[in-house]
Every structure is written in structure tokens, then in C-alpha cells.
Amino acid sequence: MCGIVGYIGYRNAYPILINGLKRLEYRGYDSAGIALLNGETTIYKRKGKVSDLEKFVESGDISGTLGIGHTRWATHGEPNDINAHPHLSMNGIFTIIHNGIIENYTSLKSRLTDRGYVFKSETDTEILANLIEYIYLKGNVSAELAVRLALTKVVGAYGLVVLCNREPDKMIAARKSSPLVLGIGEGEYFVASDATPIIEYTDRVIYLNNEDVAVISRDELVLKTIKNDKLIPNIQKVDLGISEIEKNGYDHFMLKEIFEQPRSILDTFRGRVSHDKASIHLGGLFSVEERLVHAKRIVIIGCGTSWHAGMVGEYLFEDIARISVEVEYASEFRYRNPLIDKDDIVIAISQSGETADTLAAIQLAKDRGALVLGICNVVGSSISRETHAGVYMHAGPEIGVASTKAFTAQVTVLAMMAILTGYKKGVLEESRYRRLIEELSGIPEKIERILTHDAKYKAIAEEYQNAGNFLYLGRGYSFPVALEGALKLKEISYIHAEGYPAAEMKHGPIALIDRNMPVVVIATNDKSYEKIVSNIQEVKARNGIVIAIVSEGDTIIRNMADHVLEIPEAMEELTSLLSVIPLQLIAYHIAVLRGCNVDQPRNLAKSVTVE
């Protein structure tokens, strides 16, 4: 949610800021703005897209080599020009952009109002700008100290950048529970909410930790804590290329990322799975491998698509490693009183590694003494730093808001973990172990084959683009895929869809089925095949439309379903990596045909960094 970009150096700041905001559009937003400090502060901001901001700025002064930019996803105050960032303090001394939520904004606003401050917007961010200014003027202190003192009075989350027009060659950045990365160039510095706006200028970055403050001038970067303890910067190299964050000829990032899945899955197990040696090596788990092998209970936490991947993980760990697993929504886990103790293992899944609810759930689990493992895609992200150990997915950047390649990469990691654990534990026999490794190694090529049939998925989309409702059914490993297929359709096409265990259809959803209800059934060749055939017959008996995902060579369902989409035969444990691909493509094509903004669906954000 929201995007931050800042620049100080020798170049004109405006092109860097506006291009950076375009790179950050995938995060989800409803307004955008830029501030340039060049003797005086010039602010441009507009409700709508970055392109709307560009049009508004066309005839304005865009000079200056110091500036900040922001894309806002509304929390406090409706989306409009006034509530858009950047925000000025009442006397115009401080300019601020901010990701996160100031939870005690009401009490802070009341105190500032009593001291004569007047507010123009409905945002919590303007309150913080005025708090900084009040401390600065009343205490006659530096801008840096005013920021640090103000942040000691704040309850909530923030990633922020502050400019002071009385100290015009300085930029102050701070972070707590909302990501910020600093880019280090030659005679220039960058600030951003993630690395995408930075990589075309530098690959040297610093990831800020909670309660870090960076004081950046044109020739120096000083890193310290809010309490003024000096820190030694940990400079890292970002392994990310421009081509990875561009469409490269595809109409949408989502389509590009669907077609990248053979490579992203291969990259996820490359160097970890050896087909020839029949072995799996997960270096990130080496120090905790024994704990995992002897675990009595695993709790998997995640949100959205990551939760669906966790459900596949439940089947994998219980089936292959014979360990009891519970899958929890991170947002619910953190607000009840879960039974977690020091013998439990908690696996936290997040594409971005910054999901606020998942981070809070991690902290709760750590406080209870559990071993917490992370599965995420972004190196240096908060979850990778807050967990005891974990595994990176290596799926590459995922720009489309609707997650696709992250899901299959997450399932790939969970499969590797379950297979390794089951084998080390001695409950996975050698022959099945070798077959699973061989099968996993062959998944990318099988997905390549599925992708060659894109025209079939588009044809189905054309036929059902105007449907009002969809039902997705699956059993066993296919049930989480049904949930994920329904979520993809809801997210990007705005068609109501529900995923259900096929056996539960009779307990309610069957009442909805008629000739206008497309029912997508994942009916691959596994141990529940005969049962799923019966479910299809029940749907057809009520004039329902059946779109079936089946294994190659299926003849029984072909004679029953209205549409049959074949995927290559695979071991049941790994079929979800294949069956989800047609569902992603059907959802994509329906959304395109309906004229929806596929990469930036309404009201959604890529990285949910606030509650």
C-alpha cells in the first residue's frame, strides 16, 4: 500500500520522482503527489493516477535536485486532492510523505489544536507534520531532532520522509513497521518504499530496520536510532534488473507473470533440488532442520493467496511428513488467544515480506516461544529479518496485484520443505521420495505445455465474461486451488465467485446452481476422482454449466462436462502447481474482456502494510 520515493543529488529530481511513482503504481493507490525543494517548497498533488499528476504539472516549475513523491491508498480521509500527499505543516516549514497509520492521531490533533494549529486535510499524516513543526519551533531544535522527538510520541506504523525548508539540503527518513529502502549512488541518494524505483540508478541499498532514522545530505548519509544511537549501515546489493519490472511486450504484468511461472518455479528450486542425486538442500533451514523433523505441530499463517498456499502446505506436510498442521489467517490469529508454545513451529508466508497482519502474528508467535520460519519473495524484507530462519522463493518481482507466480513459488517451497522433512524423519520411503523429486523437477516443462493452450482459456472467457457468479469446486489438494481460482476471478474481474470443497456443495451451494451458473471443477486423476465425478453429475442434473480441469487422456468427464481443459498428468501432491494455471488465465481473460484494470484492481493494494 502507498508508495514513497525521494531523491537528493545532482540530477533534476522531478523525472526521477515521477518515474519512481510509475514504478510504484502496482502497490495500489488513489492519489499521487510530488514536492520539490529549491529555495522554496513547490507541491503538486492530485487525486487519480500518476498520469493525472503529470498533466497537472505540465506547465509548472519542476526545477530542483531535492524532492519527494508519494502514491496514497486512503486510510484517514477520502481520496481527494487535499488529502493526497505530500503534506505541509501549518507554517510551511516541514513537508512530509508517510506510509502507515498513526493510531493516536486523535489525541495528538487535539493537543495541537489547543496550541493554535489548524488542519487542512483529514489525514493523520498532516498531524505528524504539525507535531514535528511544533517541536521544532518550541524547542528551537534541529529538524532531525524534531523528527526523532515527534516519533517518540507516535503510536502506530510509519515509513516517512521529511523535508525542512530551513535546512534545504537535507532529507530525513524513518521507519517503523512500514518498509523503507535507501539507495546509494555516486554523489546522490534515493529513498523508496521498495527497490523498484531505485534499481535503474543504483544496486547498492540499505534496508531500514524498525525505529531507524536516516539523515541524508548531498554528500553524507548518517544512520541512527530514534534514541540517537549511531548505526553502522549494512549496504547490500540488489539482484534486480530493469527488465524484471517492465512488461517486455506483454499487455499486462499479470499475463507476463503467469507466463513466467516455468522460470520462477525453476528458479525457486534451482540449486536446492538435485534430480540426478535425488536430494533436496534448503540452506536457510539448515540450523533448524532437526526442530522441523521432530515437530509435533506446525501452524502456517498468511493472508489471501499466501493463505491458500498454506492450505496446500497443510496437505503436503500431513501427507508427506506426517506432522499435524493448522492454517490460520494471520489477521485472525493475532487477535485471538491462540495456543502456541515453545514446541510449535510457525511458518509465515508472504510474497512481499511486509504484510502487516503477518508481521504482527510473527511477533505474537515469537513472544510465545515458538520457532518461526518465513517464506517470502523479497530479500531484506521485514519478515525475512523477523523470523528465526526461512526460505526465499526467488520468483522475481511480482508487479501485478493479483498474485500468480508467487502462489506457485510458495507451493514449491512448501513442497520442498515437506519432502525434505518427511525423508529426514524416515516416514517418506525412498521410492516415493525419488519420484517426488523427479516430478518436481518436471513441473516447469509441464506448465510450458499448459501455457500453449491459452487460446482455449480465452475462448471460455469470451463465453462467460458476463456471468454474475461462479462456483469453484475441488477435493483434497484441489480444494485450495478452487479457493485461489475464485479469488483470482473476484480480484480482477469483479465477478462474485466462491471456492468450496466439492463434498460441501450439497450443504448449501447446490441451491445456487442453474443454467446461468458456471461451475469450475478441478477433477484431476487422483484418489478422489470418482467422488468428483459424482459431484459433476449432481451439477449437471441441475442444469449447471461445468468447466472441468482434468488430467490428459480423461474420457469419463469429457462426456459430462460442457468444457474440458486438460493438464499433464502429475503426482497428486504436486498437481496444484499445474491446475491453478488455467484458472489464472481464465480470470485474466475475463477481466480484460470486461475492461477491468487487471494489474491495478479497484480498492486493492499489492502489499498490505497497514491493518
Side-chain angles (χ1 to χ4, degrees), residues 308-534:
H308 296 157
M311 289 193 67
V312 180
E314 177 182 19
Y315 287 91
L316 288 164
F317 271 101
E318 292 194 343
D319 183 11
I320 296 171
R322 307 305 296 153
I323 300 173
S324 176
V325 178
E326 296 176 22
V327 184
E328 299 264 10
Y329 283 113
S331 54
E332 288 297 310
F333 179 83
R334 60 176 295 201
Y335 283 116
R336 58 185 183 79
N337 190 20
L339 292 172
I340 296 289
D341 61 38
K342 60 182 177 59
D343 295 322
D344 291 328
I345 292 178
V346 173
I347 300 176
I349 308 176
S350 167
Q351 187 281 137
S352 67
E354 302 292 349
T355 309
D357 285 319
T358 306
L359 280 163
I362 286 169
Q363 190 58 55
L364 186 154
K366 288 169 68 177
D367 290 345
R368 301 284 174 91
L371 174 67
V372 184
L373 310 179
I375 298 175
C376 61
N377 194 35
V378 181
V379 175
S381 60
S382 297
I383 286 177
S384 68
R385 287 178 284 161
E386 292 296 326
T387 49
H388 297 111
V391 182
Y392 283 117
M393 290 145 50
H394 299 312
E398 188 177 64
I399 306 300
V401 167
S403 188
T404 52
K405 66 177 181 176
F407 174 79
T408 50
Q410 288 166 350
V411 171
T412 300
V413 170
L414 289 162
M416 290 190 293
M417 290 174 68
I419 295 166
L420 177 64
T421 303
Y423 185 66
K424 294 280 187 179
K425 189 177 179 180
V427 296
L428 180 61
E429 60 273 19
E430 183 76 26
S431 60
R432 187 181 176 200
Y433 173 67
R434 288 178 175 273
R435 279 191 64 213
L436 283 166
I437 289 176
E438 181 179 4
E439 187 69 54
L440 186 58
S441 301
I443 289 293
E445 185 273 332
K446 290 181 178 180
I447 293 178
E448 291 277 13
R449 287 161 54 191
I450 294 171
L451 293 171
T452 63
H453 299 294
D454 187 37
K456 292 182 180 179
Y457 315 133
K458 187 174 182 180
I460 288 174
E462 288 170 346
E463 189 164 347
Y464 299 108
Q465 60 179 296
N466 295 315
N469 299 280
F470 270 73
L471 183 63
Y472 288 70
L473 301 176
R475 285 176 178 258
Y477 284 98
S478 295
F479 167 48
V481 177
L483 293 174
E484 177 62 10
L487 177 61
K488 290 286 93 65
L489 190 67
K490 282 184 281 195
E491 283 181 305
I492 62 172
S493 74
Y494 318 139
I495 294 174
H496 175 256
E498 292 296 333
Y500 257 85
E504 289 294 304
M505 180 180 64
K506 292 188 290 292
H507 297 276
I510 199 168
L512 300 172
I513 294 173
D514 59 22
R515 62 174 53 88
N516 298 313
M517 167 74 87
V519 181
V520 180
V521 185
I522 302 149
T524 52
N525 187 20
D526 56 35
K527 59 178 175 283
S528 0
Y529 180 79
E530 291 182 1
K531 296 292 186 183
I532 207 82
V533 167
S534 297

Side-chain angles (χ1 to χ4, degrees), residues 255-310:
L255 185 62
K256 173 177 177 265
E257 287 153 10
I258 290 171
F259 275 80
E260 283 178 341
Q261 285 175 107
R263 190 188 77 188
S264 60
I265 291 173
L266 180 62
D267 288 345
T268 296
F269 69 67
R270 190 195 307 274
R272 294 165 166 172
V273 172
S274 172
H275 179 202
D276 296 336
K277 296 180 180 178
S279 65
I280 294 177
H281 174 75
L282 298 175
L285 300 181
F286 182 75
S287 63
V288 298
E289 200 171 273
E290 283 300 307
R291 284 281 305 273
L292 194 55
V293 167
H294 294 101
K296 295 291 188 289
R297 185 173 80 129
I298 293 173
V299 178
I300 300 177
I301 55 176
C303 299
T305 288
S306 296
W307 185 79
H308 296 157

Side-chain angles (χ1 to χ4, degrees), residues 557-603:
I557 293 175
R558 181 174 297 280
N559 295 323
M560 301 165 53
D562 298 270
H563 307 276
V564 170
L565 301 171
E566 291 188 333
I567 63 171
E569 188 81 46
M571 289 181 71
E572 181 178 2
E573 298 92 325
L574 300 175
T575 301
S576 58
L577 291 168
L578 305 179
S579 57
V580 74
I581 308 297
L583 306 187
Q584 294 172 348
L585 284 165
I586 289 170
Y588 167 79
H589 288 302
I590 287 177
V592 171
L593 289 165
R594 288 167 66 91
C596 301
N597 189 337
V598 174
D599 287 333
Q600 297 168 37
R602 67 190 183 201
N603 304 329

Side-chain angles (χ1 to χ4, degrees), residues 104 108 111 128 131-155 158 160 172 174 213 224-228:
N104 60 333
L108 292 174
R111 292 175 196 172
L128 182 54
L131 177 62
I132 294 169
E133 182 182 87
Y134 173 74
I135 293 170
Y136 178 80
L137 293 174
K138 184 175 177 61
N140 192 27
V141 298
S142 67
E144 173 210 325
L145 182 55
V147 171
R148 289 195 289 107
L149 289 174
L151 293 179
T152 65
K153 302 180 183 302
V154 163
V155 177
Y158 54 80
L160 57 90
I172 301 166
V213 177
K224 56 179 66 178
T225 67
I226 287 177
K227 297 178 179 179
N228 203 33

